[in-house]
Amino acid sequence: RKNPVFKRQKRKPQSCSLCGADNIRSTHRCRGVKRRKISTETFKPETNSELNKLMDSLKQRANGHILIYGAAGTGKSYVVGQIQELFNIDDTRFATTSPTGVAAVGINGSTIHSYFKLALFKKKPNDAIRRLVEEKEIISMEYLIIDECSMINPKLFLTISELCKRVRKNDKPFGGINLILIGDFLQLAPVCKDETLSFIFETELWQ
C-alpha cells in the first residue's frame, strides 16, 4: 500500500505572462511578448481605383513625371510589375533601373550605374555618351522607371539628367523622358558627402 504522503498531486495549469500561452510545461520556450500582426494589402487592378487611374494615364501616353511612394510591403514592386506588363503590351519604350543590384534583380531591371555607364562617364564622358548614342535606347526612351529613389543622392540625380540631355540633344530635364519614381523617403537615406542636400526632392531639378 502506497503512503498517501507521496501521492502525486495534480499540477495546476499555468500560462506564460509574456507570450500568453496557456497550459505551458516546464519545457516551454517563450517567444517573448506577443506582437501585433501587421497586415498589408497589395494592389489589385480590379479593386484599386488609384492604380486604375495610373494605368489609364499611362495607356494614354500622358506626359509628366510620376511618384509612387509607400511603406515596405504595401505593393510598390507589384505596381512596377503591372507598369512593365502594360508597357510591353503597348510597345512603350522604357527602362527599369535601381541604385542597388538587389533591388534591380527584384524588378527585372538594371542598376543605374550599369545602365547609364556612369563608371565610364566619370573617366571618359565623351566615350560613354558615344556608346549610349550608338545603343539608341535612351534616344527612343519614353519612360524611365527608377526604383528605391530615396537612395539616390542629388549629385547622381543631376548627373542622370545631364547625361540624358546630351544623349538626346534635348535641354529639357532628363532630355524630355518621363520619370516614374518608386520608393519611400522615410526609409534608407542616400549617402551624401554634401550635407546641404540629402534628398533628390531638395534639388532645384525636382522643383
Side-chain angles (χ1 to χ4, degrees), residues 128-160:
I129 293 173
R130 178 178 52 81
R131 290 182 60 179
L132 291 172
V133 170
E134 292 174 353
E135 293 178 359
K136 299 181 180 180
E137 289 188 17
I138 296 178
I139 295 176
S140 60
M141 187 183 300
E142 299 176 64
Y143 289 92
L144 173 61
I145 301 174
I146 302 179
D147 191 23
E148 300 294 349
C149 63
S150 65
M151 299 181 66
I152 300 176
N153 61 59
K155 184 178 179 180
L156 177 59
F157 194 58
L158 296 172
T159 300
I160 297 172

PDB file of all heavy atoms in Angstrom, residues 128-160:
ATOM      1  N   ALA A 128      31.433  57.524 -73.085  1.00  0.00           N
ATOM      2  CA  ALA A 128      30.187  56.991 -72.530  1.00  0.00           C
ATOM      3  C   ALA A 128      28.983  57.490 -73.319  1.00  0.00           C
ATOM      4  O   ALA A 128      28.066  56.713 -73.647  1.00  0.00           O
ATOM      5  CB  ALA A 128      30.061  57.386 -71.065  1.00  0.00           C
ATOM      6  N   ILE A 129      28.983  58.770 -73.635  1.00  0.00           N
ATOM      7  CA  ILE A 129      27.870  59.337 -74.398  1.00  0.00           C
ATOM      8  C   ILE A 129      27.814  58.728 -75.791  1.00  0.00           C
ATOM      9  O   ILE A 129      26.729  58.411 -76.312  1.00  0.00           O
ATOM     10  CB  ILE A 129      28.001  60.870 -74.473  1.00  0.00           C
ATOM     11  CG1 ILE A 129      27.803  61.469 -73.082  1.00  0.00           C
ATOM     12  CG2 ILE A 129      26.989  61.457 -75.456  1.00  0.00           C
ATOM     13  CD1 ILE A 129      28.064  62.950 -73.008  1.00  0.00           C
ATOM     14  N   ARG A 130      28.979  58.521 -76.412  1.00  0.00           N
ATOM     15  CA  ARG A 130      29.010  57.931 -77.751  1.00  0.00           C
ATOM     16  C   ARG A 130      28.424  56.524 -77.741  1.00  0.00           C
ATOM     17  O   ARG A 130      27.648  56.167 -78.630  1.00  0.00           O
ATOM     18  CB  ARG A 130      30.449  57.889 -78.260  1.00  0.00           C
ATOM     19  CG  ARG A 130      30.602  57.248 -79.629  1.00  0.00           C
ATOM     20  CD  ARG A 130      32.045  57.295 -80.087  1.00  0.00           C
ATOM     21  NE  ARG A 130      32.946  56.758 -79.081  1.00  0.00           N
ATOM     22  CZ  ARG A 130      33.159  55.439 -78.906  1.00  0.00           C
ATOM     23  NH1 ARG A 130      32.511  54.556 -79.665  1.00  0.00           N
ATOM     24  NH2 ARG A 130      34.001  55.028 -77.991  1.00  0.00           N
ATOM     25  N   ARG A 131      28.760  55.744 -76.735  1.00  0.00           N
ATOM     26  CA  ARG A 131      28.235  54.378 -76.657  1.00  0.00           C
ATOM     27  C   ARG A 131      26.735  54.379 -76.398  1.00  0.00           C
ATOM     28  O   ARG A 131      25.997  53.563 -76.962  1.00  0.00           O
ATOM     29  CB  ARG A 131      28.963  53.615 -75.551  1.00  0.00           C
ATOM     30  CG  ARG A 131      30.415  53.311 -75.896  1.00  0.00           C
ATOM     31  CD  ARG A 131      31.094  52.520 -74.797  1.00  0.00           C
ATOM     32  NE  ARG A 131      30.422  51.242 -74.554  1.00  0.00           N
ATOM     33  CZ  ARG A 131      30.835  50.344 -73.652  1.00  0.00           C
ATOM     34  NH1 ARG A 131      31.922  50.614 -72.913  1.00  0.00           N
ATOM     35  NH2 ARG A 131      30.190  49.215 -73.484  1.00  0.00           N
ATOM     36  N   LEU A 132      26.255  55.294 -75.568  1.00  0.00           N
ATOM     37  CA  LEU A 132      24.818  55.374 -75.307  1.00  0.00           C
ATOM     38  C   LEU A 132      24.053  55.828 -76.551  1.00  0.00           C
ATOM     39  O   LEU A 132      22.930  55.371 -76.799  1.00  0.00           O
ATOM     40  CB  LEU A 132      24.549  56.336 -74.144  1.00  0.00           C
ATOM     41  CG  LEU A 132      25.026  55.855 -72.765  1.00  0.00           C
ATOM     42  CD1 LEU A 132      24.888  56.968 -71.733  1.00  0.00           C
ATOM     43  CD2 LEU A 132      24.239  54.628 -72.313  1.00  0.00           C
ATOM     44  N   VAL A 133      24.656  56.703 -77.330  1.00  0.00           N
ATOM     45  CA  VAL A 133      24.022  57.134 -78.580  1.00  0.00           C
ATOM     46  C   VAL A 133      23.956  55.976 -79.562  1.00  0.00           C
ATOM     47  O   VAL A 133      22.938  55.781 -80.246  1.00  0.00           O
ATOM     48  CB  VAL A 133      24.790  58.324 -79.190  1.00  0.00           C
ATOM     49  CG1 VAL A 133      24.279  58.622 -80.607  1.00  0.00           C
ATOM     50  CG2 VAL A 133      24.649  59.558 -78.317  1.00  0.00           C
ATOM     51  N   GLU A 134      25.017  55.186 -79.634  1.00  0.00           N
ATOM     52  CA  GLU A 134      25.038  54.041 -80.546  1.00  0.00           C
ATOM     53  C   GLU A 134      24.012  52.989 -80.165  1.00  0.00           C
ATOM     54  O   GLU A 134      23.432  52.330 -81.038  1.00  0.00           O
ATOM     55  CB  GLU A 134      26.444  53.428 -80.567  1.00  0.00           C
ATOM     56  CG  GLU A 134      27.498  54.320 -81.210  1.00  0.00           C
ATOM     57  CD  GLU A 134      28.899  53.741 -81.087  1.00  0.00           C
ATOM     58  OE1 GLU A 134      29.050  52.718 -80.375  1.00  0.00           O
ATOM     59  OE2 GLU A 134      29.825  54.316 -81.681  1.00  0.00           O
ATOM     60  N   GLU A 135      23.770  52.812 -78.862  1.00  0.00           N
ATOM     61  CA  GLU A 135      22.778  51.821 -78.424  1.00  0.00           C
ATOM     62  C   GLU A 135      21.349  52.267 -78.712  1.00  0.00           C
ATOM     63  O   GLU A 135      20.440  51.438 -78.799  1.00  0.00           O
ATOM     64  CB  GLU A 135      22.953  51.546 -76.927  1.00  0.00           C
ATOM     65  CG  GLU A 135      24.263  50.841 -76.591  1.00  0.00           C
ATOM     66  CD  GLU A 135      24.445  50.631 -75.110  1.00  0.00           C
ATOM     67  OE1 GLU A 135      23.555  51.065 -74.336  1.00  0.00           O
ATOM     68  OE2 GLU A 135      25.466  50.035 -74.711  1.00  0.00           O
ATOM     69  N   LYS A 136      21.119  53.579 -78.793  1.00  0.00           N
ATOM     70  CA  LYS A 136      19.844  54.182 -79.206  1.00  0.00           C
ATOM     71  C   LYS A 136      18.691  53.951 -78.234  1.00  0.00           C
ATOM     72  O   LYS A 136      17.556  54.318 -78.528  1.00  0.00           O
ATOM     73  CB  LYS A 136      19.429  53.685 -80.603  1.00  0.00           C
ATOM     74  CG  LYS A 136      20.405  54.036 -81.699  1.00  0.00           C
ATOM     75  CD  LYS A 136      19.919  53.537 -83.054  1.00  0.00           C
ATOM     76  CE  LYS A 136      20.905  53.899 -84.155  1.00  0.00           C
ATOM     77  NZ  LYS A 136      20.447  53.420 -85.473  1.00  0.00           N
ATOM     78  N   GLU A 137      18.949  53.319 -77.082  1.00  0.00           N
ATOM     79  CA  GLU A 137      17.855  53.061 -76.140  1.00  0.00           C
ATOM     80  C   GLU A 137      17.365  54.347 -75.489  1.00  0.00           C
ATOM     81  O   GLU A 137      16.162  54.591 -75.385  1.00  0.00           O
ATOM     82  CB  GLU A 137      18.302  52.062 -75.068  1.00  0.00           C
ATOM     83  CG  GLU A 137      18.481  50.650 -75.582  1.00  0.00           C
ATOM     84  CD  GLU A 137      18.736  49.669 -74.458  1.00  0.00           C
ATOM     85  OE1 GLU A 137      18.451  50.027 -73.293  1.00  0.00           O
ATOM     86  OE2 GLU A 137      19.225  48.561 -74.732  1.00  0.00           O
ATOM     87  N   ILE A 138      18.309  55.175 -75.039  1.00  0.00           N
ATOM     88  CA  ILE A 138      17.924  56.422 -74.365  1.00  0.00           C
ATOM     89  C   ILE A 138      17.310  57.403 -75.360  1.00  0.00           C
ATOM     90  O   ILE A 138      16.401  58.161 -75.006  1.00  0.00           O
ATOM     91  CB  ILE A 138      19.151  57.039 -73.663  1.00  0.00           C
ATOM     92  CG1 ILE A 138      19.649  56.104 -72.564  1.00  0.00           C
ATOM     93  CG2 ILE A 138      18.812  58.411 -73.083  1.00  0.00           C
ATOM     94  CD1 ILE A 138      20.877  56.609 -71.844  1.00  0.00           C
ATOM     95  N   ILE A 139      17.766  57.378 -76.599  1.00  0.00           N
ATOM     96  CA  ILE A 139      17.245  58.307 -77.602  1.00  0.00           C
ATOM     97  C   ILE A 139      15.759  58.079 -77.838  1.00  0.00           C
ATOM     98  O   ILE A 139      14.979  59.027 -77.993  1.00  0.00           O
ATOM     99  CB  ILE A 139      18.032  58.159 -78.922  1.00  0.00           C
ATOM    100  CG1 ILE A 139      19.485  58.594 -78.723  1.00  0.00           C
ATOM    101  CG2 ILE A 139      17.393  58.981 -80.039  1.00  0.00           C
ATOM    102  CD1 ILE A 139      20.361  58.405 -79.943  1.00  0.00           C
ATOM    103  N   SER A 140      15.342  56.819 -77.864  1.00  0.00           N
ATOM    104  CA  SER A 140      13.939  56.497 -78.136  1.00  0.00           C
ATOM    105  C   SER A 140      13.115  56.262 -76.873  1.00  0.00           C
ATOM    106  O   SER A 140      11.936  55.911 -76.959  1.00  0.00           O
ATOM    107  CB  SER A 140      13.860  55.248 -79.024  1.00  0.00           C
ATOM    108  OG  SER A 140      14.471  54.138 -78.371  1.00  0.00           O
ATOM    109  N   MET A 141      13.708  56.464 -75.694  1.00  0.00           N
ATOM    110  CA  MET A 141      13.020  56.148 -74.433  1.00  0.00           C
ATOM    111  C   MET A 141      11.868  57.118 -74.155  1.00  0.00           C
ATOM    112  O   MET A 141      11.995  58.319 -74.346  1.00  0.00           O
ATOM    113  CB  MET A 141      14.018  56.177 -73.272  1.00  0.00           C
ATOM    114  CG  MET A 141      13.448  55.703 -71.948  1.00  0.00           C
ATOM    115  SD  MET A 141      14.662  55.863 -70.605  1.00  0.00           S
ATOM    116  CE  MET A 141      15.972  54.801 -71.212  1.00  0.00           C
ATOM    117  N   GLU A 142      10.742  56.561 -73.688  1.00  0.00           N
ATOM    118  CA  GLU A 142       9.590  57.368 -73.305  1.00  0.00           C
ATOM    119  C   GLU A 142       9.467  57.490 -71.787  1.00  0.00           C
ATOM    120  O   GLU A 142       9.090  58.544 -71.274  1.00  0.00           O
ATOM    121  CB  GLU A 142       8.306  56.757 -73.870  1.00  0.00           C
ATOM    122  CG  GLU A 142       8.270  56.679 -75.391  1.00  0.00           C
ATOM    123  CD  GLU A 142       7.031  55.988 -75.894  1.00  0.00           C
ATOM    124  OE1 GLU A 142       5.917  56.512 -75.678  1.00  0.00           O
ATOM    125  OE2 GLU A 142       7.163  54.897 -76.499  1.00  0.00           O
ATOM    126  N   TYR A 143       9.751  56.405 -71.070  1.00  0.00           N
ATOM    127  CA  TYR A 143       9.638  56.391 -69.615  1.00  0.00           C
ATOM    128  C   TYR A 143      10.891  55.775 -69.004  1.00  0.00           C
ATOM    129  O   TYR A 143      11.428  54.784 -69.508  1.00  0.00           O
ATOM    130  CB  TYR A 143       8.420  55.584 -69.153  1.00  0.00           C
ATOM    131  CG  TYR A 143       7.098  56.248 -69.428  1.00  0.00           C
ATOM    132  CD1 TYR A 143       6.403  55.986 -70.606  1.00  0.00           C
ATOM    133  CD2 TYR A 143       6.527  57.128 -68.510  1.00  0.00           C
ATOM    134  CE1 TYR A 143       5.185  56.596 -70.862  1.00  0.00           C
ATOM    135  CE2 TYR A 143       5.313  57.734 -68.761  1.00  0.00           C
ATOM    136  CZ  TYR A 143       4.644  57.465 -69.933  1.00  0.00           C
ATOM    137  OH  TYR A 143       3.442  58.065 -70.189  1.00  0.00           O
ATOM    138  N   LEU A 144      11.329  56.366 -67.904  1.00  0.00           N
ATOM    139  CA  LEU A 144      12.433  55.826 -67.115  1.00  0.00           C
ATOM    140  C   LEU A 144      11.908  55.509 -65.722  1.00  0.00           C
ATOM    141  O   LEU A 144      11.493  56.406 -64.984  1.00  0.00           O
ATOM    142  CB  LEU A 144      13.591  56.819 -67.027  1.00  0.00           C
ATOM    143  CG  LEU A 144      14.747  56.435 -66.089  1.00  0.00           C
ATOM    144  CD1 LEU A 144      15.400  55.135 -66.536  1.00  0.00           C
ATOM    145  CD2 LEU A 144      15.776  57.554 -66.015  1.00  0.00           C
ATOM    146  N   ILE A 145      11.902  54.226 -65.375  1.00  0.00           N
ATOM    147  CA  ILE A 145      11.449  53.779 -64.057  1.00  0.00           C
ATOM    148  C   ILE A 145      12.663  53.691 -63.137  1.00  0.00           C
ATOM    149  O   ILE A 145      13.650  53.024 -63.454  1.00  0.00           O
ATOM    150  CB  ILE A 145      10.756  52.412 -64.140  1.00  0.00           C
ATOM    151  CG1 ILE A 145       9.544  52.485 -65.080  1.00  0.00           C
ATOM    152  CG2 ILE A 145      10.327  51.943 -62.757  1.00  0.00           C
ATOM    153  CD1 ILE A 145       8.896  51.131 -65.337  1.00  0.00           C
ATOM    154  N   ILE A 146      12.601  54.369 -61.992  1.00  0.00           N
ATOM    155  CA  ILE A 146      13.680  54.324 -61.005  1.00  0.00           C
ATOM    156  C   ILE A 146      13.100  53.847 -59.683  1.00  0.00           C
ATOM    157  O   ILE A 146      12.326  54.557 -59.037  1.00  0.00           O
ATOM    158  CB  ILE A 146      14.352  55.700 -60.822  1.00  0.00           C
ATOM    159  CG1 ILE A 146      14.909  56.218 -62.153  1.00  0.00           C
ATOM    160  CG2 ILE A 146      15.460  55.604 -59.786  1.00  0.00           C
ATOM    161  CD1 ILE A 146      15.560  57.578 -62.042  1.00  0.00           C
ATOM    162  N   ASP A 147      13.472  52.647 -59.280  1.00  0.00           N
ATOM    163  CA  ASP A 147      13.019  52.089 -58.001  1.00  0.00           C
ATOM    164  C   ASP A 147      13.969  52.517 -56.891  1.00  0.00           C
ATOM    165  O   ASP A 147      15.133  52.842 -57.143  1.00  0.00           O
ATOM    166  CB  ASP A 147      12.955  50.569 -58.102  1.00  0.00           C
ATOM    167  CG  ASP A 147      12.242  49.944 -56.922  1.00  0.00           C
ATOM    168  OD1 ASP A 147      11.447  50.649 -56.272  1.00  0.00           O
ATOM    169  OD2 ASP A 147      12.474  48.749 -56.641  1.00  0.00           O
ATOM    170  N   GLU A 148      13.480  52.492 -55.656  1.00  0.00           N
ATOM    171  CA  GLU A 148      14.261  52.909 -54.481  1.00  0.00           C
ATOM    172  C   GLU A 148      14.876  54.291 -54.704  1.00  0.00           C
ATOM    173  O   GLU A 148      16.067  54.518 -54.452  1.00  0.00           O
ATOM    174  CB  GLU A 148      15.362  51.880 -54.182  1.00  0.00           C
ATOM    175  CG  GLU A 148      14.870  50.479 -53.890  1.00  0.00           C
ATOM    176  CD  GLU A 148      14.072  50.390 -52.593  1.00  0.00           C
ATOM    177  OE1 GLU A 148      14.076  51.368 -51.825  1.00  0.00           O
ATOM    178  OE2 GLU A 148      13.461  49.332 -52.344  1.00  0.00           O
ATOM    179  N   CYS A 149      14.054  55.225 -55.143  1.00  0.00           N
ATOM    180  CA  CYS A 149      14.551  56.568 -55.471  1.00  0.00           C
ATOM    181  C   CYS A 149      15.060  57.317 -54.240  1.00  0.00           C
ATOM    182  O   CYS A 149      15.830  58.265 -54.368  1.00  0.00           O
ATOM    183  CB  CYS A 149      13.462  57.376 -56.166  1.00  0.00           C
ATOM    184  SG  CYS A 149      11.994  57.684 -55.151  1.00  0.00           S
ATOM    185  N   SER A 150      14.656  56.904 -53.054  1.00  0.00           N
ATOM    186  CA  SER A 150      15.120  57.583 -51.841  1.00  0.00           C
ATOM    187  C   SER A 150      16.612  57.389 -51.614  1.00  0.00           C
ATOM    188  O   SER A 150      17.246  58.170 -50.895  1.00  0.00           O
ATOM    189  CB  SER A 150      14.350  57.070 -50.619  1.00  0.00           C
ATOM    190  OG  SER A 150      14.631  55.700 -50.389  1.00  0.00           O
ATOM    191  N   MET A 151      17.197  56.367 -52.227  1.00  0.00           N
ATOM    192  CA  MET A 151      18.608  56.073 -52.039  1.00  0.00           C
ATOM    193  C   MET A 151      19.500  56.801 -53.042  1.00  0.00           C
ATOM    194  O   MET A 151      20.724  56.673 -52.994  1.00  0.00           O
ATOM    195  CB  MET A 151      18.844  54.558 -52.133  1.00  0.00           C
ATOM    196  CG  MET A 151      18.097  53.753 -51.092  1.00  0.00           C
ATOM    197  SD  MET A 151      18.418  51.978 -51.225  1.00  0.00           S
ATOM    198  CE  MET A 151      20.152  51.918 -50.792  1.00  0.00           C
ATOM    199  N   ILE A 152      18.905  57.547 -53.957  1.00  0.00           N
ATOM    200  CA  ILE A 152      19.677  58.288 -54.952  1.00  0.00           C
ATOM    201  C   ILE A 152      20.067  59.640 -54.360  1.00  0.00           C
ATOM    202  O   ILE A 152      19.203  60.386 -53.898  1.00  0.00           O
ATOM    203  CB  ILE A 152      18.867  58.490 -56.238  1.00  0.00           C
ATOM    204  CG1 ILE A 152      18.478  57.143 -56.829  1.00  0.00           C
ATOM    205  CG2 ILE A 152      19.649  59.310 -57.248  1.00  0.00           C
ATOM    206  CD1 ILE A 152      17.595  57.254 -58.048  1.00  0.00           C
ATOM    207  N   ASN A 153      21.333  59.961 -54.411  1.00  0.00           N
ATOM    208  CA  ASN A 153      21.757  61.253 -53.901  1.00  0.00           C
ATOM    209  C   ASN A 153      21.559  62.332 -54.962  1.00  0.00           C
ATOM    210  O   ASN A 153      21.455  62.027 -56.158  1.00  0.00           O
ATOM    211  CB  ASN A 153      23.210  61.208 -53.422  1.00  0.00           C
ATOM    212  CG  ASN A 153      24.180  60.857 -54.535  1.00  0.00           C
ATOM    213  OD1 ASN A 153      24.269  61.547 -55.541  1.00  0.00           O
ATOM    214  ND2 ASN A 153      24.922  59.772 -54.356  1.00  0.00           N
ATOM    215  N   PRO A 154      21.471  63.579 -54.572  1.00  0.00           N
ATOM    216  CA  PRO A 154      21.209  64.668 -55.520  1.00  0.00           C
ATOM    217  C   PRO A 154      22.208  64.742 -56.667  1.00  0.00           C
ATOM    218  O   PRO A 154      21.833  65.038 -57.797  1.00  0.00           O
ATOM    219  CB  PRO A 154      21.274  65.920 -54.641  1.00  0.00           C
ATOM    220  CG  PRO A 154      20.895  65.440 -53.283  1.00  0.00           C
ATOM    221  CD  PRO A 154      21.468  64.064 -53.185  1.00  0.00           C
ATOM    222  N   LYS A 155      23.486  64.484 -56.380  1.00  0.00           N
ATOM    223  CA  LYS A 155      24.502  64.551 -57.431  1.00  0.00           C
ATOM    224  C   LYS A 155      24.237  63.530 -58.521  1.00  0.00           C
ATOM    225  O   LYS A 155      24.341  63.833 -59.723  1.00  0.00           O
ATOM    226  CB  LYS A 155      25.891  64.337 -56.822  1.00  0.00           C
ATOM    227  CG  LYS A 155      27.015  64.480 -57.826  1.00  0.00           C
ATOM    228  CD  LYS A 155      28.369  64.304 -57.158  1.00  0.00           C
ATOM    229  CE  LYS A 155      29.500  64.432 -58.175  1.00  0.00           C
ATOM    230  NZ  LYS A 155      30.840  64.261 -57.546  1.00  0.00           N
ATOM    231  N   LEU A 156      23.886  62.303 -58.140  1.00  0.00           N
ATOM    232  CA  LEU A 156      23.573  61.261 -59.114  1.00  0.00           C
ATOM    233  C   LEU A 156      22.325  61.618 -59.910  1.00  0.00           C
ATOM    234  O   LEU A 156      22.255  61.392 -61.121  1.00  0.00           O
ATOM    235  CB  LEU A 156      23.395  59.921 -58.404  1.00  0.00           C
ATOM    236  CG  LEU A 156      22.992  58.730 -59.276  1.00  0.00           C
ATOM    237  CD1 LEU A 156      24.021  58.495 -60.371  1.00  0.00           C
ATOM    238  CD2 LEU A 156      22.819  57.482 -58.417  1.00  0.00           C
ATOM    239  N   PHE A 157      21.344  62.178 -59.229  1.00  0.00           N
ATOM    240  CA  PHE A 157      20.098  62.586 -59.881  1.00  0.00           C
ATOM    241  C   PHE A 157      20.379  63.622 -60.971  1.00  0.00           C
ATOM    242  O   PHE A 157      19.860  63.520 -62.097  1.00  0.00           O
ATOM    243  CB  PHE A 157      19.151  63.155 -58.821  1.00  0.00           C
ATOM    244  CG  PHE A 157      17.730  63.320 -59.262  1.00  0.00           C
ATOM    245  CD1 PHE A 157      16.995  62.247 -59.714  1.00  0.00           C
ATOM    246  CD2 PHE A 157      17.118  64.562 -59.203  1.00  0.00           C
ATOM    247  CE1 PHE A 157      15.677  62.391 -60.102  1.00  0.00           C
ATOM    248  CE2 PHE A 157      15.796  64.724 -59.587  1.00  0.00           C
ATOM    249  CZ  PHE A 157      15.078  63.635 -60.039  1.00  0.00           C
ATOM    250  N   LEU A 158      21.204  64.593 -60.657  1.00  0.00           N
ATOM    251  CA  LEU A 158      21.555  65.634 -61.627  1.00  0.00           C
ATOM    252  C   LEU A 158      22.409  65.075 -62.759  1.00  0.00           C
ATOM    253  O   LEU A 158      22.258  65.485 -63.915  1.00  0.00           O
ATOM    254  CB  LEU A 158      22.297  66.767 -60.918  1.00  0.00           C
ATOM    255  CG  LEU A 158      21.510  67.552 -59.864  1.00  0.00           C
ATOM    256  CD1 LEU A 158      22.434  68.505 -59.111  1.00  0.00           C
ATOM    257  CD2 LEU A 158      20.367  68.332 -60.506  1.00  0.00           C
ATOM    258  N   THR A 159      23.299  64.132 -62.435  1.00  0.00           N
ATOM    259  CA  THR A 159      24.152  63.533 -63.459  1.00  0.00           C
ATOM    260  C   THR A 159      23.332  62.782 -64.493  1.00  0.00           C
ATOM    261  O   THR A 159      23.587  62.882 -65.702  1.00  0.00           O
ATOM    262  CB  THR A 159      25.168  62.576 -62.808  1.00  0.00           C
ATOM    263  OG1 THR A 159      25.977  63.299 -61.881  1.00  0.00           O
ATOM    264  CG2 THR A 159      26.056  61.933 -63.860  1.00  0.00           C
ATOM    265  N   ILE A 160      22.329  62.021 -64.036  1.00  0.00           N
ATOM    266  CA  ILE A 160      21.473  61.281 -64.967  1.00  0.00           C
ATOM    267  C   ILE A 160      20.733  62.233 -65.892  1.00  0.00           C
ATOM    268  O   ILE A 160      20.609  61.996 -67.102  1.00  0.00           O
ATOM    269  CB  ILE A 160      20.473  60.401 -64.187  1.00  0.00           C
ATOM    270  CG1 ILE A 160      21.209  59.352 -63.370  1.00  0.00           C
ATOM    271  CG2 ILE A 160      19.495  59.728 -65.142  1.00  0.00           C
ATOM    272  CD1 ILE A 160      20.310  58.582 -62.431  1.00  0.00           C
TER     273      ILE A 160
END
